[in-house]
Amino acid sequence: MVGYLRAAYLFLFAKYGYEWILHRSLDTVREQIKNPENELIWKWWLRREKASAVNAIYFCDHPLNCALVAIAEHVIVIPSAFDSSDPYALVKAICLGKNEGDYLGDFSVKGPIGVPNSMELLLDFL
């Protein structure tokens, strides 16, 4: 699963650039990627109902404030560069005691935004 986290991190880097990806809110993500054998984040993914061939970026503002990167049947949670709250604590609270396939509640999301196929670095040029 760390491979999915790394892919989501790289998608966001290519799309939004250093301004997003080097923000301190992503320190734990970078540490988890560097240490795949250790569980530094309890859970950074949610599962979709079914796999999709289309990867996409979404932005969630309730109950999590984060970016969501959909890859196959996984939705990878990446902290927002504009909010210092920890979405992983909320993922844990939402998921604890639930079985795979259980309804997790309503999420307010914006998107989809296509994942980049080249370096766009959109925030770096503002």
Side-chain angles (χ1 to χ4, degrees):
M1 291 305 296
V2 174
Y4 286 106
L5 182 64
R6 179 180 295 180
Y9 181 88
L10 292 173
F11 281 155
L12 287 168
F13 170 58
K15 188 74 168 181
Y16 297 107
Y18 292 98
E19 185 71 28
W20 180 291
I21 217 64
L22 292 179
H23 195 274
R24 70 175 182 266
S25 65
L26 278 83
D27 286 349
T28 55
V29 172
R30 286 187 291 279
E31 284 301 311
Q32 183 64 72
I33 291 169
K34 284 193 268 184
N35 299 288
E37 66 285 345
N38 299 327
E39 184 182 283
L40 303 175
I41 303 170
W42 182 78
K43 186 174 183 174
W44 57 83
W45 71 92
L46 303 170
R47 188 177 289 279
R48 297 198 281 186
E49 279 187 74
K50 57 185 174 182
S52 173
V54 178
N55 299 329
I57 298 169
Y58 298 85
F59 291 97
C60 184
D61 60 9
H62 181 77
L64 310 170
N65 187 5
C66 63
L68 301 171
V69 181
I71 305 171
E73 73 273 11
H74 304 290
V75 176
I76 309 305
V77 177
I78 301 286
S80 172
F82 309 107
D83 181 353
S84 60
S85 66
D86 178 10
Y88 301 120
L90 282 171
V91 168
K92 187 172 186 176
I94 291 167
C95 293
L96 270 178
K98 299 270 185 358
N99 296 315
E100 188 172 321
D102 283 355
Y103 177 70
L104 298 177
D106 291 326
F107 289 76
S108 174
V109 297
K110 293 173 180 59
I113 298 167
V115 296
N117 57 13
S118 65
M119 297 297 282
E120 297 178 24
L121 308 171
L122 296 177
L123 292 178
D124 291 350
F125 298 110
L126 293 179

